[in-house]
Amino acid sequence: MTGRARLSVELTEGAFRILSGERRLTIFAVRDLPNVEHPADFVIRMDEILTWDPPHEDEEISVDELQKIAAGITEECERRGLSVAFE
């Protein structure tokens, strides 16, 4: 999106905090997928990420932004030596 701030990702206790300008998004990880050979430290359900946190809850998250969010989460996990799975 042109003119939008770069996304940044913070890992808090049990959640990821995504920052983009004045917009915020909190993503809570879920338990790992059942019967997985190599469990991930975090599992993110992408289909549940629809809008930004209040006061921007009326603003949908675009596919492009969703891809950047996933890349940012992956990068932050790799930096910390953690694994993430997207479902």
Side-chain angles (χ1 to χ4, degrees), residues 2 4-5 9 12 16-17 22 28-29 35 38-39 44-45 56-57 60 65 68 70 77 79-80:
T2 306
R4 289 288 185 193
V9 176
T12 64
F16 290 93
R17 178 92 20 129
E22 294 184 11
F28 294 96
N35 304 320
H38 301 287
I44 307 294
R45 291 197 172 125
H56 302 282
E57 68 272 19
E60 287 187 17
E65 289 171 322
K68 289 177 182 175
C77 285
R79 186 178 75 75
R80 294 173 178 262

Side-chain angles (χ1 to χ4, degrees), residues 38-58:
H38 301 287
D41 294 303
F42 300 100
V43 176
I44 307 294
R45 291 197 172 125
M46 299 298 283
D47 59 345
E48 294 179 2
I49 303 171
L50 304 174
T51 61
W52 295 94
D53 290 347
H56 302 282
E57 68 272 19
D58 292 334

Side-chain angles (χ1 to χ4, degrees), residues 1 3 7-8 11-12 15-16 24-25 27-28 30 36 42 45 53 58 63 70-73 76 79-80 87:
M1 210 173 235
L7 290 173
S8 67
L11 179 58
T12 64
F16 290 93
R24 307 284 182 267
L25 175 65
I27 301 172
F28 294 96
V30 296
V36 175
F42 300 100
R45 291 197 172 125
D53 290 347
D58 292 334
V63 173
I73 290 172
E76 181 65 13
R79 186 178 75 75
R80 294 173 178 262
E87 144 181 295

